[in-house]
Amino acid sequence: MTSIVQGRRAVGRWAGVRLSTYDRAGLVDVVTSALERREKLMVSYLNPFYARATAADARLAAVVDSYDVVQPDGWGVVYGARAAGIPVPERAAIEDVERPLFEWMAAHGHSLYLFGSQPGIAVEAAATLVRSFPGLVIAGTHHGWLDVEAGHPGTFDDEDAARVAADVERSGADLVMVGLPTPLQQDWAARYGPGLRAPVVMTAGAYFDKLAEKLDWYPRWMETARLGWAYRVWREPRRLLPRYTVGMAAFAVLVAREIVVARTGRRKHGHGR
């Protein structure tokens, strides 16, 4: 763990991993400090879908737990963590910190590599970023359909995964964003990220797909009302409706379980009497 993260600001374990509790400004500061000082920093996020995955898969939880920063992403995780006694100040997803982060990178000459999504999407996402942040250097892009093209979705061939890592290394990128399905993105970043010259490696989920359309993907009023999830369901009902119905019911069970675990732990240690 790097000195930059100051003990990771982790104050509790939730869904099998230690959560970080940076606010948006703090998260930007941690990332830009790592870039400036060229200290290794691995960043990931925990949204309701990922939380269910880590809670159910001890191997994945251990992989995610190896990151320097694991930031709550999604108001469900923010509220669920707060209910379990973890003082998360606010949601700090990539969309919440993109402007100050990319503006800083553009001003200081730091470069970005985008790895993920179907062919063409990372290129379009990079174009959006260059238009939105003049001076931002895109070191390279690579699509994330290595598994699909190989005929076995969900699993990368070792040689394909290593080939992308070699391309990232040749690019000289400072920040590498990995936008793949879970657990592919967490596994690839954890396996290859520590060996890259790039000081910062960050998982990105479906972020490139949003960037490929425009920077401010969510309507502002829906973002303010914390209804970004509803907009996503409206855009992709077939894929996301099950996640936000059956999936959220399962997430509610997870939240309830974490609350019980937290309260039991406090009683065991003599707190909360």
Side-chain angles (χ1 to χ4, degrees):
M1 191 179 303
T2 68
S3 60
I4 288 175
V5 296
Q6 299 177 339
R8 197 189 201 178
R9 290 285 295 275
V11 294
R13 183 172 291 275
W14 201 86
V17 301
R18 292 168 295 156
L19 283 180
S20 305
T21 57
Y22 294 104
D23 59 16
R24 296 172 185 179
L27 180 59
V28 172
D29 183 61
V30 165
V31 174
T32 55
S33 294
L35 289 170
E36 190 170 38
R37 294 159 58 177
R38 301 202 65 80
E39 292 192 20
K40 183 61 70 174
L41 184 71
M42 300 287 293
V43 181
S44 194
Y45 299 87
L46 197 72
N47 65 21
F49 176 71
Y50 300 159
R52 287 169 47 217
T54 57
D57 185 345
R59 186 205 65 82
L60 176 59
V63 170
V64 175
D65 212 34
S66 71
Y67 283 68
D68 298 300
V69 172
V70 180
Q71 195 70 20
D73 172 6
W75 287 104
V77 174
V78 171
Y79 292 136
R82 287 176 180 174
I86 302 175
V88 178
E90 60 184 342
R91 191 191 77 164
I94 297 175
E95 294 95 333
D96 299 314
V97 301
E98 60 189 357
R99 288 188 179 277
L101 174 58
F102 294 136
E103 286 172 356
W104 185 92
M105 290 181 65
H108 291 80
H110 290 283
S111 60
L112 176 66
Y113 192 105
L114 305 181
F115 168 39
S117 297
Q118 62 181 297
I121 294 297
V123 174
E124 294 176 14
T128 297
L129 289 175
V130 170
R131 288 194 302 269
S132 303
F133 304 99
L136 180 64
V137 177
I138 303 298
T141 65
H142 200 292
H143 72 80
W145 276 31
L146 308 175
D147 54 334
V148 176
E149 291 184 343
H152 41 69
T155 305
F156 284 166
D157 290 329
D158 287 345
E159 55 269 30
D160 289 337
R163 176 168 49 80
V164 176
D167 189 62
V168 172
E169 188 72 359
R170 284 192 299 269
S171 76
D174 300 307
L175 170 58
V176 180
M177 283 191 164
V178 185
L180 302 169
T182 292
L184 277 177
Q185 64 175 353
Q186 292 88 353
D187 288 340
W188 187 93
R191 180 176 181 180
Y192 294 100
L196 296 173
R197 283 181 297 164
V200 181
V201 177
M202 180 184 297
T203 63
Y207 180 57
F208 302 165
D209 300 84
K210 302 171 189 176
L211 277 182
E213 293 190 29
K214 56 183 179 179
L215 186 68
D216 295 315
W217 193 75
Y218 294 107
R220 186 59 58 89
W221 70 268
M222 295 193 81
E223 186 69 12
T224 301
R226 299 175 183 176
L227 291 174
W229 63 271
Y231 183 66
R232 293 191 66 195
V233 171
W234 176 75
R235 291 288 302 268
E236 299 182 82
R238 180 174 297 182
R239 185 175 73 89
L240 294 179
L241 188 58
R243 180 185 295 188
Y244 284 98
T245 52
V246 177
M248 288 310 291
F251 179 71
V253 173
L254 169 63
V255 170
R257 188 185 73 187
E258 293 297 322
I259 292 172
V260 170
V261 169
R263 290 178 178 176
T264 301
R266 285 196 291 269
R267 285 197 297 269
K268 183 177 180 180
H269 292 91
H271 301 296
R273 295 178 177 174

